[in-house]
């Protein structure tokens, strides 16, 4: 691998950091990754059994327009690591309240040529016997989504990067970053590079104040559960399911490809310290348990296998825009928001690498990552070769 393009430090070995390292390595940069724990780190938000990927983004239409490219870049990553850790399938949305979701989804999915259709409410009990039908107002199925398998992706990507010459610094707690000098201090030792990318997830505000006015860590509860025996077959055939009720809002990933059944909460707490524990308390789970009982029949018959906490960053307002910005003359900050980070990891990482390589303007990258481009603008940027 040629090192003529310079040395880049990446702080954080979650999907954002490793994807950025991947995209930089492909462009001929020398890359070193600093991670405060193991690589991959079981405490990282990225470290999970399965995550949803989809084209339907509700009112966040700009992210919907980015998803075809996001899927394509995952295919490129899978080709490099030699494994396709993705299970394609539909994503089904269950609406119980008057939510502002269908109209923007109809617009974006139609513009992208992606299929979606209503499921008659009368068919729901037979197709989805686990669903609580009381209060349902509409059910919509979208195609070309599915599940990503994060632990497998992170593990194989780490191996690939190491084989390409990327240098890993595990258990390296970064305490100071100088975005003008291109230096960082890890475990008391100073390191120098041409550029630094801060992709520290929920720890970002501990390393820089650049985005602290916009983003905040959010302690989020989820559960891995075991279905009642009479529901096992139904769950084995189930798609990804998202409940959009005001009180019943949940996301659920079925047990596929050796994973467990997982249910999580849509509502952001916007509180907590990322250095805290990863075990959900009864207080953490109170809202999720109430929502699950509204979304699923006889939810009390399910058995909890693991009560888990993960930490995202999310915006202080409701925008959920990625905060990807240049910092000083030699650094970038990459902060995903809510659960979007994993499905868009290679897309954002490739974009930041493109900006560092001079293939894309800083201004375009900031707008792109924030989902502020129309479909036409996003396509034009990709046609330009970036």
């Amino acid at each position: 691998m040629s090192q003529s393009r310079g040395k880049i430090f990446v702080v954080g070995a979650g999907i954002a950091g490793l994807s950025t390292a991947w995209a930089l390595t492909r462009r001929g940069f020398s890359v070193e990754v600093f991670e405060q724990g193991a690589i991959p780190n079981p405490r990282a938000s990225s470290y999970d059994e399965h995550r949803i990927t989809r084209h339907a983004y509700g009112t966040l239409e700009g992210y919907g327009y980015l998803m075809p490219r996001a899927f394509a870049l995952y295919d490129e990553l899978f080709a490099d690591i030699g494994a396709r850790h993705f299970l394609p399938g539909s994503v089904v949305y269950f609406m119980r309240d008057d939510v502002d979701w269908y109209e923007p989804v109809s617009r974006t999915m139609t513009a992208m040529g992606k299929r979606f259709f209503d499921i008659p409410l009368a068919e729901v009990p037979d197709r989805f016997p686990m669903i609580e039908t009381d209060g349902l107002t509409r059910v919509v199925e979208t195609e070309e989504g599915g599940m990503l398998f994060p632990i497998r992706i992170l593990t194989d990507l780490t191996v690939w990067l190491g084989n390409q010459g990327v240098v890993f610094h595990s258990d390296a707690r970064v305490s100071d970053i100088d975005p003008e000098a291109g230096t960082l201090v890890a475990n008391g030792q100073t390191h120098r590079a041409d550029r630094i990318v801060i992709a520290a997830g929920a720890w970002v505000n501990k390393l820089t104040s650049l985005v602290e006015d916009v983003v905040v860590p959010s302690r989020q509860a989820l559960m891995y559960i075991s279905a009642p025996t009479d529901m096992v077959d139904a769950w084995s055939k189930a798609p990804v399911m998202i409940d959009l009720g005001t009180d019943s809002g949940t996301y659920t990933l079925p047990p596929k490809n050796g994973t467990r059944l997982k249910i999580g909460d849509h509502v952001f707490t916007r509180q907590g310290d990322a250095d805290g524990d990863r075990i959900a308390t009864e207080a953490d789970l109170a809202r999720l348990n109430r929502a699950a009982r509204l979304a699923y029949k006889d939810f009390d018959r399910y058995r909890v296998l693991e009560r888990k906490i993960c930490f995202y960053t999310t915006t202080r307002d409701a925008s959920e825009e990625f905060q990807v910005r240049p910092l000083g003359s030699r650094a970038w900050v990459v902060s995903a928001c809510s659960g979007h980070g994993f499905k868009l990891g290679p897309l954002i990482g490739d974009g930041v690498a493109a900006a560092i390589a001079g293939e894309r303007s800083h201004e375009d990258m900031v707008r792109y990552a924030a989902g502020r481009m129309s479909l036409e603008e996003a396509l034009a940027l990709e046609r330009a070769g970036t």
Side-chain angles (χ1 to χ4, degrees):
M1 180 187 70
S2 171
Q3 298 185 6
S4 62
R5 302 198 73 176
K7 179 188 290 186
I8 313 292
F9 290 161
V10 176
V11 181
I15 192 60
L18 293 183
S19 292
T20 304
W22 167 72
L24 288 165
T25 300
R26 297 175 100 206
R27 286 170 168 82
F29 289 96
S30 173
V31 180
E32 298 188 22
V33 176
F34 292 77
E35 167 56 48
Q36 64 181 323
I39 302 175
N41 188 349
R43 288 174 57 84
S45 298
S46 297
Y47 196 86
D48 202 355
E49 291 185 12
H50 42 6
R51 289 283 176 88
I52 301 169
T53 189
R54 65 189 192 276
H55 290 91
Y57 253 93
T59 57
L60 302 176
E61 294 183 55
Y63 286 109
Y65 295 138
L66 296 179
M67 286 311 298
R69 179 63 176 159
F71 275 88
L73 278 166
Y74 256 116
D75 282 341
E76 293 183 26
L77 186 151
F78 291 148
D80 278 351
I81 66 176
R84 193 167 189 255
H85 299 307
F86 168 60
L87 181 64
S90 63
V91 181
V92 179
Y93 298 82
F94 298 85
M95 282 160 270
R96 301 175 191 273
D97 300 292
D98 185 17
V99 293
D100 186 13
W101 182 87
Y102 185 81
E103 182 180 349
V105 165
S106 174
R107 186 163 49 241
T108 56
M109 297 286 279
T110 299
M112 293 185 294
K114 304 300 179 184
R115 293 191 65 218
F116 63 101
F117 44 87
D118 279 84
I119 296 175
L121 294 180
E123 295 181 8
V124 171
D126 287 336
R127 287 193 59 182
F128 308 104
M130 70 288 286
I131 292 293
E132 176 56 67
T133 57
D134 286 351
L136 282 180
T137 58
R138 187 170 202 164
V139 179
V140 177
E141 184 169 3
T142 62
E143 295 188 342
E144 297 186 56
M147 298 190 299
L148 296 164
F149 300 98
I151 294 173
R152 304 172 201 183
I153 292 170
L154 295 172
T155 301
D156 283 356
L157 184 52
T158 297
V159 171
W160 184 87
L161 289 168
N163 291 344
Q164 302 305 308
V166 169
V167 176
F168 291 107
H169 303 267
S170 63
D171 301 308
R173 188 85 177 200
V174 174
S175 57
D176 185 62
I177 294 172
D178 187 331
E180 298 297 340
T183 61
L184 62 77
V185 178
N187 296 344
Q189 183 178 355
T190 299
H191 303 260
R192 184 179 302 275
D194 298 291
R195 295 286 190 276
I196 299 173
V197 178
I198 304 170
W203 289 268
V204 63
N205 292 343
K206 295 176 182 286
L207 294 177
T208 174
S209 62
L210 181 68
V211 296
E212 67 181 6
D213 60 326
V214 180
V215 304
V216 62
S218 190
R219 180 180 172 94
Q220 299 299 129
L222 60 90
M223 293 186 292
Y224 292 101
I225 55 179
S226 178
T229 56
D230 58 326
M231 285 290 167
V232 169
D233 184 61
W235 276 113
S236 71
K237 301 172 184 175
V240 171
M241 296 190 284
I242 298 177
D243 189 292
L244 296 176
T246 302
D247 296 319
S248 59
T250 58
Y251 63 88
T252 305
L253 292 95
K256 302 285 181 74
N257 287 13
T259 62
R260 295 171 291 177
L261 173 58
K262 183 176 81 171
I263 185 167
D265 194 350
H266 279 316
V267 177
F268 301 118
T269 67
R270 293 186 171 87
Q271 61 185 5
D273 185 337
D275 284 325
D277 65 82
R278 293 297 185 273
I279 301 174
T281 65
E282 289 303 317
D284 289 320
L285 292 166
R287 195 263 166 203
L288 177 56
N289 275 311
R290 289 195 301 271
R293 291 185 182 102
L294 295 172
Y296 294 104
K297 289 182 178 178
D298 302 322
F299 187 72
D300 289 333
R301 295 175 59 212
Y302 290 73
R303 293 292 176 261
V304 177
L305 303 174
E306 182 181 358
R307 300 169 175 87
K308 183 177 178 180
I309 287 295
C310 70
F311 277 90
Y312 298 140
T313 52
T314 190
T315 50
R316 295 181 185 273
D317 61 17
S319 67
E320 297 183 44
E321 293 181 350
F322 278 51
Q323 301 300 309
V324 177
R325 306 184 196 172
L327 173 63
S329 61
R330 292 179 179 270
W332 277 83
V333 173
V334 179
S335 180
C337 280
S338 72
H340 306 321
F342 209 95
K343 65 179 69 65
L344 290 168
L347 178 82
I348 300 300
D350 185 74
V352 171
I356 290 172
E359 302 166 11
R360 174 175 295 178
S361 75
H362 291 189
E363 295 77 15
D364 277 346
M365 186 55 215
V366 170
R367 291 181 61 233
Y368 190 78
R372 296 179 188 167
M373 289 190 170
S374 66
L375 176 61
E376 292 74 19
E377 288 177 305
L379 289 175
L381 204 58
E382 298 305 337
R383 283 195 296 268
T386 60

